[in-house]
Structure formats: structure tokens, C-alpha cells
Amino acid sequence: MKIKTLMASAAITASAWTAAAAQDATFYYDKNGWDEGFAALIEGASEASGLDIAGQQLTPTDRYQAYVMSSIAGGAAPAIFTWWNGKQLDSLVETGEIADLTELWDEAIANGWFSEAERELFSVDGTPYAIPLNVARWPVLYNKDAFAAAGIDAPPATWDELLADADALKEAGYIPFNAPAVGGWMGFIWFSELMVRTDPDAFVGLTDGTVPYNGPEVQRAMEIWTDFYERGYFTDAREQDETRFMVNEEAAMYLIGEWTAGILANRGMEPGEKIGAFLMPPVDAETENTVIVEAAPIVFSADAMEEMPALMDAARYLMSPEAGNALGQANGIYSGNLMTDAPNAIVSDVNAIIAEDAPRSVVRWWEAVPPELQGDLVSQMNAFMLDPTAENAQRVMDDMQSLNESYWAFQ
């Protein structure tokens, strides 16, 4: 089988499109730093199905989304592509172009690969329309050497300890948190985290229109975010290499999906040895402990499934423990398959934290918010990161609420 992975950063060249079109099927994705893992998945899926499958990376994320949706609108949905769950998957299914994968999930659950709870993450109205690429929690990754240099013996268990540790890291010459705003999507990370650390119910309310983006709950989160910038806790948001400050050890902590551990490992920061993980504590002791969960789906075109029945064999492989272990070994990413090994010490550590603390799980903002609002709202959050003042914070909140009101008024 011929396996070909084609990369594109912002625009796709004519030659790349021609090469991709020459294959039986093309697997589209937007994940930076996952190239080795996707190559392994594509090779395995090709061998399992007998199809000639190519890989096509399209970035940044907003252009990727635009390409996929315009392709579907034009009646040419990609055969295989990654997406997002929650309301993002709901909107995709509404097009009628996405394959029903009930049969595949029935097999996978019978095999003990996945649970019914995981099936629900990839379902719309009880029907599964996607399979897992990865299931990830969002902890804080930290540099163990930096913590030791700052005299920090253990990760913070309270908000006051978090602030004290950040100050100690600054005193030791580190920037406490790596916080980039690249790729058109990263602005929601700290916004979401500060919402769940102050009021997780309000965080959920933001995604269904019951809580305003300029209300007191958001005001408090934005005040903390602004204060962190004033304290000098964050790296320069304009940095285009999202892991550079961690890899060169200028920054000590990174709030991000646990899948980033594999990217850091490939850049010389070994999980468990160089980096550890903890869940950020709530601001107030009485606030419910919460973890943000991201489930990244792989979806299939209904037409492609009908035209190429062997594509089901590719999907079956992509759900298998073999595929999960291949992705884990290549990029340290956890597929959620219950029969796979934990790909690195970070996943093992987070599994242990979840088992001990039993935090509430909430769907990540990116997947939970209506897709019609997603891009405009995250652009506002990105804009705050580039001008993190109290005055701009108020403008951003008011602008987000104006967008929010306009959308929900017609629902």
C-alpha cells in the first residue's frame, strides 16, 4: 500500500490537492505535532481495508473547519476527517452527510474496547456518528526541575498555594505559565479554566444561553485573568511556537490537554521524569472540583461508506487497541480504548487523580458552544490576550454578550 501524508500550513497548493485526490480516500486532520501518529493510523487503516488512504493536514483550525463545511455544502464531504464532539458534532450530523456507526460501536463495546459512556461522547440523539481519535482531560503540565529550583515540593492543592507557587517560580527566574494564542482557537483555554474554577455551573450556562458573557460570573473570571497578566504570570501570547517556552524552560507550567505530553516528549521533555501533571484547584474551597474533558472524533462520509464498503474495515482498525497503542507510542496520545496501555506517565497520573478525587467532568467549551458562535467568541478571547487590560476585558465581555444575545434570540 502506498501511504502519503501531505502537509499544509495556511493554504493548500494545487499539486497537493491533485496528489490527495489520486488516492482511494483521504484522511483530513488539523492536529499540529501529531504527524507520526497519523502516519501510523493511516498505514494501519490502509492495510486493514486494502484501500489506498492518504493523509492531509490542513491548518490553522478555522481554515480547516471552513474547508470541511464548504466541502459538505458542495456535496463532496471528505471520506474521513477529524472533528469535535458536542454541538460541533450535532451540526455536522444535521447535514445528513455523516455515516451512522452503530454497528461498529456495538462490536467495539462487545469486544470490551469502549464503554457506553464513551459511546455517548460521540453520539447525537443516541446514535453514534463518530469514533474516538482521542479522549483527553485538561490538566496543568509542569516542569519538575523548575518546581524543584523554586523550592516547591508538590503541586498546589489550593488556590492560595497556586498563587504562592507562581510567585516562587517568578522569583526563581521562570515565567509561571505558558499561554500562547495561536492557531485561531487557543483563547478559550484560560477563559474556560477560570470559569470552571470559579463557577462550573455558570460555565455550562454560557454554552446554552442561560448565562450572559458580561454577567458577574464572567466578570470574576476575567478579573482573575487580567490580574494574572498584571502579575506577570504569562508568556507572550504572540509566540507562534506553542510549546517553545516550555521546551526552552522559560515557562514552568502549561494548562493544556494531556495529549500535549506526547508533543513535549518528542521535544525532549519526558513525561514523568521532566514533566508532571495536576488539576488546577478551585478558587474557592467550596467550589465543586471539576475537570474539562475533550473527546476528538473521527467521522466518515455516508456516501464514501456506501461507495467503498472496505472503509468500514478502516474504521474498525481505527477503533482497535492496535491503533490506540500505535497512536500512543507515536505521540503519547490516549485514544480512550480500554484495552490500550496508558501512553505515558502523564495519562497515568491524570487517571490516578481522577480515580482519587472523582471530579465533575464538563465538555470542553470548544465542543459545547454552538458552532455559529464559536469562531466569533474565541476571536474576542484571543483579542483580550493580545491586550490584557481591564478596559479591554470589559469591551470583550460586552462584545461577546452582544454576539450571544443575537444568536439565542433566534433559537
Side-chain angles (χ1 to χ4, degrees):
M1 307 279 150
K2 180 180 176 186
I3 312 300
K4 188 168 185 178
T5 302
L6 304 168
M7 305 300 172
S9 293
I12 310 304
T13 65
S15 60
W17 286 115
T18 301
Q23 316 303 312
D24 293 326
T26 303
F27 188 165
Y28 290 89
Y29 61 96
D30 72 322
K31 314 299 183 189
N32 279 319
W34 296 29
D35 304 332
E36 186 179 349
F38 273 100
L41 293 180
I42 291 165
E43 181 175 7
S46 295
E47 291 177 353
S49 65
L51 296 172
D52 192 1
I53 302 174
Q56 177 83 64
Q57 183 196 57
L58 309 181
T59 60
T61 296
D62 52 355
R63 296 197 182 195
Y64 175 77
Q65 291 174 307
Y67 166 72
V68 170
M69 294 309 293
S70 63
S71 297
I72 291 174
I80 317 170
F81 60 100
T82 63
W83 204 244
W84 296 268
N85 70 332
K87 291 185 177 66
Q88 310 302 310
L89 185 60
D90 294 356
S91 296
L92 203 63
V93 170
E94 287 175 1
T95 67
E97 299 295 327
I98 306 306
D100 178 341
L101 301 177
T102 299
E103 177 185 343
L104 194 60
W105 271 98
D106 288 345
E107 291 178 17
I109 291 172
N111 290 338
W113 292 357
F114 293 93
S115 68
E116 288 287 352
E118 289 167 309
R119 174 181 176 141
E120 283 304 307
L121 289 172
F122 301 92
S123 296
V124 175
D125 295 330
T127 299
Y129 287 95
I131 62 175
L133 171 65
N134 78 293
V135 176
R137 291 68 54 97
W138 280 60
V140 178
L141 306 182
Y142 70 96
N143 183 323
K144 292 186 173 184
D145 292 341
F147 270 45
I152 303 170
D153 296 327
T158 68
W159 190 256
D160 286 343
E161 289 180 5
L162 178 73
L163 298 182
D165 289 350
D167 289 337
L169 287 161
K170 276 196 69 181
E171 186 68 23
Y174 295 94
I175 304 169
F177 292 101
N178 183 48
V182 298
W185 66 275
M186 299 187 85
F188 76 83
I189 295 174
W190 271 91
F191 176 83
S192 300
E193 189 73 13
L194 292 173
M195 285 299 302
V196 301
R197 298 304 159 208
T198 53
D199 193 334
D201 289 335
F203 169 79
V204 174
L206 288 173
T207 67
D208 63 18
T210 59
V211 171
Y213 275 85
N214 60 354
E217 304 90 347
V218 177
Q219 292 272 358
R220 188 180 186 204
M222 293 297 289
E223 286 171 3
I224 296 171
W225 201 4
T226 303
D227 179 59
F228 272 28
Y229 272 105
E230 291 175 350
R231 291 170 179 250
Y233 283 179
F234 293 128
T235 55
D236 187 343
R238 296 168 297 181
E239 172 56 47
Q240 295 301 297
D241 180 346
E242 61 195 60
T243 61
R244 183 176 76 85
F245 287 117
M246 283 295 289
V247 172
N248 68 13
E249 303 193 51
E250 290 183 57
M253 295 181 280
Y254 193 10
L255 172 62
I256 196 70
E258 61 192 339
W259 41 264
T260 303
I263 297 172
L264 292 174
N266 289 339
R267 300 190 69 177
M269 302 190 78
E270 188 62 30
E273 295 179 12
K274 189 73 173 179
I275 55 173
F278 65 91
L279 292 187
M280 191 174 291
V283 174
D284 303 310
E286 63 272 18
T287 301
E288 185 177 17
N289 194 18
T290 306
V291 61
I292 292 172
V293 177
E294 167 196 3
I298 301 171
V299 296
F300 297 81
S301 158
D303 288 344
M305 278 288 195
E306 184 176 350
E307 294 166 4
M308 294 181 288
L311 200 56
M312 182 63 78
D313 292 324
R316 186 173 289 109
Y317 165 79
L318 291 171
M319 286 194 84
S320 70
E322 181 183 358
N325 284 328
L327 184 62
Q329 290 165 11
N331 288 115
I333 294 162
Y334 180 51
S335 71
N337 189 305
L338 301 173
M339 305 292 283
T340 61
D341 302 323
N344 57 56
I346 295 301
V347 173
S348 296
D349 288 350
V350 175
N351 285 345
I353 292 169
I354 298 299
E356 181 176 350
D357 297 347
R360 171 185 179 180
S361 294
V362 294
V363 175
R364 195 174 66 151
W365 180 90
W366 187 261
E367 287 79 15
V369 73
E372 296 87 350
L373 281 171
Q374 182 196 73
D376 290 337
L377 290 178
V378 80
S379 292
Q380 291 293 327
M381 298 170 195
N382 288 334
F384 168 75
M385 294 180 71
L386 299 175
D387 180 19
T389 62
E391 181 180 49
N392 194 38
Q394 187 62 56
R395 182 200 63 76
V396 163
M397 286 185 283
D398 290 340
D399 286 353
M400 288 196 296
Q401 181 54 20
S402 178
L403 293 163
N404 195 47
E405 285 180 352
S406 296
Y407 172 79
W408 290 108
F410 294 97
Q411 302 308 306

